Amino acid sequence: MQDDPSNRDALQALLDFHVEAGVDLALDETPHDRFAEPKAEPRPVKPLEPQREPPRAPAAAPPPARSLPKAAASAPEEVASLAREQARHAQSLEELEAILAGFEGCALKFSAKNLAFADGNPGGRVMLVGEAPGADEDRIGKPFMGRSGQLLDRMLAAVGLDRTQVYVANIVPWRPPGNRTPTPQEIAICKPFIARQIELAAPEFLLCLGGPATQNLLGVKDGILRTRGRWLPYKTEDGREIRALPTLHPAYLLRQPLQKRLGWRDFQALRRALDGND
Ligand code: URA
């Protein structure tokens, strides 16, 4: 394109359009016309393998037997089944993080800068689970590092807690481009990992931050404004029950500051539970 001002304006308008639509990174040097490419043959879906008991010993689990296919080339059910198999292998949080770091079944891994696995104290009585990392978390490689994280820290401090006492993670550990909500497929693929993370951390109390964490971990259909503030059971795969409290996501509270009073009530409920008064 020649360098005349009208071309530059058109290019700028196109760029602005993409940024507004949430496109904030380029995955390739050259554009591809996907509509012009020949359609791939649908791949046959392999039947799910029967569930196996997780191996209990030794401490250093052997590498998973099956290697993972690349996300783009595999059926989501197949990838989710492999994710379950891989997550079950982890016998410690360190192993789980290492397995997740090598997992290539979720396409978000390839656009994210870092895996944001966890922050805080994995031995704490409370675990908080959010949705997915944003730009700050992606850059630093830990959950809740940006503005939402700062508000979260203030809410924790208001009930006498900080990150040396709580453990923090997300249902999806890689940043979705443009901070979009993770798709149901991405959540389904990542869910076995967060489920195993909760199982291994074994907190006494689980705080689900926002609708996606609440719906996907607790299996509720209602929106977060209906569900928040009520203790519900979270069942681990190995049959334990953890008391879980859905609450509003700090990013929502930043947008709707008047709703902070509801968040404040939920954090007080957590405090009472920690003190044995609820
Ligand atoms: N929002 C989340 O749900 N998680 C983070 O880590 C940051 C923002």
Side-chain angles (χ1 to χ4, degrees):
M1 210 180 260
Q2 295 206 338
D3 188 24
D4 82 46
S6 62
N7 276 346
R8 254 183 285 133
D9 288 351
L11 278 176
Q12 186 63 52
L14 190 61
L15 207 55
D16 290 347
F17 167 78
H18 279 107
V19 171
E20 263 171 39
V23 180
D24 63 357
L25 86 173
L27 293 179
D28 210 343
E29 291 288 317
T30 47
H32 300 277
D33 183 356
R34 303 280 179 209
F35 295 104
E37 288 171 2
K39 278 215 169 82
E41 283 294 306
R43 287 165 50 92
V45 177
K46 274 197 206 153
L48 292 186
E49 293 215 324
Q51 300 246 324
R52 279 188 276 121
E53 278 294 303
R56 286 286 153 218
R66 282 203 281 159
S67 67
L68 274 172
K70 287 271 190 296
S74 307
E77 304 80 5
E78 191 184 358
V79 182
S81 135
L82 286 164
R84 277 194 290 279
E85 191 180 305
Q86 297 244 321
R88 275 203 301 268
H89 269 276
Q91 299 303 306
S92 67
L93 290 165
E94 292 75 20
E95 269 182 36
L96 185 67
E97 183 172 5
I99 289 172
L100 200 46
F103 179 74
E104 302 206 327
C106 180
L108 294 176
K109 177 191 171 136
F110 300 101
S111 54
K113 289 193 179 74
N114 282 301
L115 169 73
F117 180 70
D119 191 36
N121 179 356
R125 296 174 67 193
V126 182
M127 178 167 177
L128 300 97
V129 181
E131 185 178 319
D136 293 314
E137 292 75 19
D138 186 39
R139 188 171 40 79
I140 297 166
K142 287 181 178 181
F144 286 100
M145 291 285 122
R147 286 184 67 223
S148 297
Q150 286 157 19
L151 176 57
L152 185 63
D153 287 344
R154 288 202 295 279
M155 294 171 78
L156 287 169
V159 291
L161 295 172
D162 62 31
R163 293 204 197 192
T164 66
Q165 293 153 298
V166 305
Y167 186 53
V168 187
N170 282 308
I171 50 170
V172 168
W174 293 285
R175 181 193 183 207
N179 291 350
R180 63 165 169 75
T181 303
T183 64
Q185 275 180 6
E186 288 159 355
I187 293 176
I189 288 167
C190 295
K191 195 169 161 192
F193 293 107
I194 184 64
R196 187 72 180 133
Q197 198 171 351
I198 295 169
E199 201 164 67
L200 289 167
E204 239 175 280
F205 303 103
L206 182 67
L207 230 65
C208 298
L209 303 172
T214 300
Q215 289 170 344
N216 286 288
L217 292 177
L218 305 181
V220 291
K221 296 260 182 304
D222 281 341
I224 188 66
L225 285 168
R226 286 180 79 94
T227 334
R228 59 144 286 277
R230 278 191 291 136
W231 288 101
L232 295 167
Y234 173 82
K235 296 196 177 72
T236 61
E237 262 194 31
D238 63 6
R240 277 173 291 150
E241 210 170 277
I242 295 171
R243 293 185 73 194
L245 186 66
T247 188
L248 301 171
H249 193 287
Y252 169 78
L253 297 179
L254 286 170
R255 291 193 302 274
Q256 304 283 339
L258 282 182
Q259 299 286 51
K260 282 185 189 162
R261 62 208 158 100
L262 298 178
W264 169 235
R265 274 188 217 156
D266 299 343
F267 274 65
Q268 283 180 313
L270 172 67
R271 181 71 263 169
R272 283 195 299 278
L274 281 164
D275 294 341
N277 295 327
D278 189 5

